[in-house]
Every structure is written in structure tokens, then in C-alpha cells.
Amino acid sequence: RYNADQPEHRWALGTFYGQLGHLDSAAAEYRAAVTLPPRFAQAYVDLAEVLRVQGRVADAEQTLRRATAQLPEDAGMHYVLGQFLLNQGRPGEAIGALQRATALRPNVPEFRAALTAARTSARRGSP
């Protein structure tokens, strides 16, 4: 049964709206989900993706930065922020987030690979 006070339920409704192409409604549900305890990491990720698709890249980045601040021990959130920055052509900034992800979960190959890619890209001075 749907419960608007459960972040997972708000996230699920946002996902449903997103699948229908109703991005404004999806974003509204994801925003609601991230305000409810406990913090639900996937809602931040999905909100950022909707904002990015809508061309609101700065808002997407702000969402991911807020997520890493509110979920500082969530290695996955740091990884997502790092990947976002890397995809935006900002490898120097991505390195910090990816270092944090790797420090929290050193045995995750994807985290290490992304950090290596960011460092390589930063050395080359290219995105």
C-alpha cells in the first residue's frame, strides 16, 4: 500500500512518472523522497538524472553534492558525483569524489577504474 511518508514509495512513484515521460512529476516525487528520513540515495541519483535530462545541469550537480553531504559514508553517492563531473569534462574535480568513493570501498573495481580514468584525463588536460 502506498504511503506518502515513505521515501521508497515516493521514489517508486517518481520512477513510474519518469517511465511515462512525466519528468516534472517524477522530479517532484524524487524531491519529496529526499526530504524524508531515512535518506534514500537512489532518489538523489534519479532526481539528478531528471534534472540533467531537462538541461538543468547545475541543479543536477547541486543535488549530487547535497547527497554526498547528507550521506557522507555512502561510497556510491561519491562515485555517482565523480562520474557526473567526469562526464561534464571536469576530471580534476571528479578526482576528489572518486578518491572518497575508493577510500570508503577500496575493493570495488568500478570505483578504482573511474578514479584512474579521471586522473588520466586530468593529466592530459582533456575531458
Side-chain angles (χ1 to χ4, degrees), residues 33-125:
V34 301
T35 64
L36 297 169
R39 299 289 183 205
F40 191 60
Q42 190 61 47
Y44 286 104
V45 173
D46 292 342
L47 174 57
E49 179 59 14
V50 166
L51 294 170
R52 186 195 65 75
V53 167
Q54 291 178 322
R56 300 172 57 193
V57 176
D59 292 337
E61 179 181 341
Q62 180 182 17
T63 296
L64 294 174
R65 289 191 182 278
R66 186 172 56 249
T68 59
Q70 292 178 349
L71 300 165
E73 301 304 313
D74 188 318
M77 285 308 313
H78 293 280
Y79 171 75
V80 170
L81 174 60
Q83 285 290 88
F84 177 87
L85 294 169
L86 192 55
N87 290 336
Q88 293 299 309
R90 296 159 52 195
E93 294 177 61
I95 289 170
L98 294 168
Q99 283 175 326
R100 180 70 178 143
T102 303
L104 288 166
R105 303 269 313 275
N107 296 324
V108 177
E110 292 85 1
F111 294 0
R112 292 192 317 270
L115 179 56
T116 299
R119 286 177 173 157
T120 300
S121 187
R123 277 194 302 274
R124 290 183 184 153

Side-chain angles (χ1 to χ4, degrees), residues 17-29:
Y17 284 136
Q19 291 170 342
L20 294 176
H22 301 294
L23 298 183
D24 289 336
S25 296
E29 291 303 324

